[in-house]
Amino acid sequence: MEIDIAAILGGYAQGYFLMADEETGSLDWYGTEQHTVIPLDERFHCPRSLRPLVRSERFQVQINRAFDQVVEGCAARPQTWISPQLKQIYRALHRAGFAHSFETWQGETLAGGILGITIGAAFIGESMFYRIPNGSKVVMVKLVQHLRARRFRLFDAQLMNPHLARFGAFQMDGPTYLELLQQCVGIPCAFA
């Protein structure tokens, strides 16, 4: 399968994201009227019960140490929109420097991870998973800290869920989101 990296990044830069149909596996572009955004400013909320765990040394953070394992972990669900074809696309984007895994580890055990695509100062979160309880919660907090330190301006989580809402995620209307995304596309940021 030949993968057109520029065309894929162009789709994401216009506010679309790739998903495979859970039943047929066919891949297509999707858009939404409201984008879920994880705030990178003071609106981000680390739940009080999680703060001691974040400060502890129980989990260590790594970037791209186990990219393929994170992709597989994100896809390992009874119903998944991450098809074999989409896995190949993520791997191609990773080799080109645009797809990344942000991971928590306990010793040599992968605890959790977030898979995302970077375009300029935008981090587009594709999926997350955990193998050890709280692994995905700690990775979320640590990723926000990392994005702030690297001067990213947008953390797009695509679709809202109760887990993201706990961290202060909010809905941004399409025109506002696209304006912010277009600003971010032109700002160089290094994720790793």
Side-chain angles (χ1 to χ4, degrees):
M1 178 179 85
E2 194 169 322
I3 297 170
D4 187 338
I5 300 290
I8 291 168
L9 293 176
Y12 278 96
Q14 294 174 43
Y16 296 102
F17 51 93
L18 284 169
M19 287 179 68
D21 183 276
E22 292 175 354
E23 293 178 13
T24 67
S26 63
L27 197 61
D28 208 348
W29 288 102
Y30 292 86
T32 180
E33 294 293 318
Q34 300 280 321
H35 288 260
T36 299
V37 173
I38 307 292
L40 296 176
D41 56 18
E42 70 282 348
R43 293 173 292 177
F44 180 78
H45 173 71
C46 178
R48 187 180 305 273
S49 61
L50 189 60
R51 292 173 193 168
L53 186 57
V54 171
R55 286 192 301 268
S56 76
E57 297 298 318
R58 184 170 160 201
F59 293 103
Q60 299 78 48
V61 171
Q62 297 284 330
I63 298 172
N64 296 328
R65 176 178 169 187
F67 182 84
D68 286 337
Q69 288 180 52
V70 171
V71 171
E72 293 300 331
C74 290
R77 300 163 197 230
Q79 289 190 314
T80 183
W81 50 268
I82 301 177
S83 66
Q85 184 182 9
L86 190 50
K87 289 177 189 178
Q88 289 181 0
I89 289 170
Y90 289 147
R91 289 180 182 116
L93 288 169
H94 178 62
R95 286 190 300 273
F98 296 102
H100 303 279
S101 60
F102 195 83
E103 311 147 4
T104 46
W105 291 77
Q106 274 191 351
E108 293 301 309
T109 302
L110 178 61
I114 296 177
L115 168 66
I117 295 169
T118 57
I119 304 173
F123 180 88
I124 301 164
E126 291 287 283
S127 188
M128 64 189 308
F129 83 104
Y130 70 92
R131 291 184 181 152
I132 296 175
N134 295 312
S136 64
K137 294 174 186 170
V138 172
V139 82
M140 173 68 76
V141 175
K142 294 290 190 176
L143 176 56
V144 167
Q145 292 171 353
H146 178 75
L147 293 173
R148 286 173 174 167
R150 293 295 181 128
R151 301 191 184 278
F152 277 75
R153 295 190 182 180
L154 173 64
F155 182 173
D156 177 0
Q158 298 175 352
L159 302 172
M160 182 65 83
N161 63 46
H163 176 68
L164 298 178
R166 292 184 64 210
F167 293 97
F170 63 95
Q171 298 272 285
M172 185 178 284
D173 67 83
T176 303
Y177 170 82
L178 286 173
E179 182 178 342
L180 177 58
L181 179 61
Q182 289 309 307
Q183 291 171 10
C184 290
V185 166
I187 300 170
C189 275
F191 183 80

